[in-house]
Amino acid sequence: MEQAEEQQRRPWVVGVSGASGTPYAAAVLRGLLAAGESVDLVVSRASRLTLLDETGIAFRDAHWREDLAQWLARGADGKPDTYPGLELDGVRNWSAGDLAAGPSSGSYPVKGMLIVPASTACVAGVALGLSKDLLQRAASVTLKERRKLVVAVRETPLSGQTLKALVALDEAGAVVLPASPAFYAGATHIQDLVDFVAGRVLDAAEVPHRLYRRWEGELGGSRGD
């Protein structure tokens, strides 16, 4: 039975690069798990430093389940245990340095890949096909297999080199999705702004969610006017 379930498993690969914005990644991961999706997680070496700086959480491959549970339970405002009791059975962690990992091959069945947040270095590496680590390699595989790739770039301002790399990714078939929150959904908390971006990432992946209030064509609707 377990072998049959494993053969049917088609996860989303979620890559977390070193850009600021680890709460975005946490919100996307929670959204995927809430939708019943399986996840293959790749946390880059640089992103582990960012995660430690932004949350105080050290992500360790040897203790990834414990560290991930602590990370996903944390709200965007830094409060621990905001989202307690998350089920992580659908998650598999791959070391960023493991270039023999499943997502490094096109024959490994996945639905697509979400890079949240995507740093400018990550954007450049994927656009050039460098494959310097598993995150970049998995993204290159996603593009060559014509699977969905969503790149949630988190940087401002953007240089000409980065803009060219983003255009190259768009032309290669990726969805370029700046981590740019909107305010029409009636945000009253930092988590609302984070969830809006995460929701748009999930929209691009066609994964159902209830992370933000959708526009309904009525001015002032978010205020209840």
Side-chain angles (χ1 to χ4, degrees), residues 6-211:
E6 183 65 21
Q7 290 175 347
Q8 295 174 0
R9 185 177 184 271
R10 290 187 65 234
W12 284 96
V13 179
V14 176
V16 186
S17 80
S20 177
T22 54
Y24 291 129
V28 167
L29 288 165
R30 288 193 297 264
L32 288 170
L33 295 176
E37 299 285 347
S38 298
V39 173
D40 274 22
L41 181 62
V42 182
V43 181
S44 75
R45 291 179 62 184
S47 70
R48 297 172 194 229
L49 296 176
T50 305
L51 180 63
L52 182 63
D53 183 55
E54 293 185 345
T55 69
I57 298 170
F59 191 89
R60 304 159 295 175
D61 286 325
H63 303 279
W64 72 266
R65 190 175 294 272
E66 174 187 343
D67 298 336
L68 180 61
Q70 184 181 2
W71 178 16
L72 298 191
R74 193 181 189 89
D77 59 2
K79 293 182 180 178
D81 299 323
T82 301
Y83 302 96
L86 292 173
E87 179 57 60
L88 301 179
D89 286 348
V91 182
R92 174 182 291 174
N93 177 65
W94 298 99
S95 173
D98 185 3
L99 291 178
S104 68
S105 172
S107 66
Y108 183 78
V110 302
K111 292 183 177 180
M113 182 173 184
L114 316 174
I115 305 179
V116 188
S119 67
T120 55
C122 173
V123 166
V126 175
L128 293 172
L130 295 182
S131 297
K132 75 180 183 78
D133 61 9
L134 180 58
L135 194 159
Q136 291 187 10
R137 172 59 185 169
S140 294
V141 168
T142 301
L143 288 175
K144 81 179 183 68
E145 296 294 328
R146 301 297 190 267
R147 295 168 181 157
K148 179 77 73 174
L149 175 63
V150 182
V151 181
V153 60
R154 214 307 305 162
E155 184 61 271
T156 190
L158 295 172
S159 69
Q161 293 92 330
T162 298
L163 291 170
K164 291 175 183 177
L166 291 172
V167 170
L169 289 178
D170 176 78
E171 291 175 343
V175 175
V176 175
L177 195 153
S180 177
F183 295 85
Y184 63 77
T188 59
H189 190 277
I190 186 174
Q191 189 67 56
D192 298 326
L193 299 176
V194 168
D195 285 348
F196 179 87
V197 172
R200 295 299 287 150
V201 171
L202 296 178
D203 287 344
E206 299 181 356
V207 173
H209 67 87
R210 295 183 177 179
L211 288 176

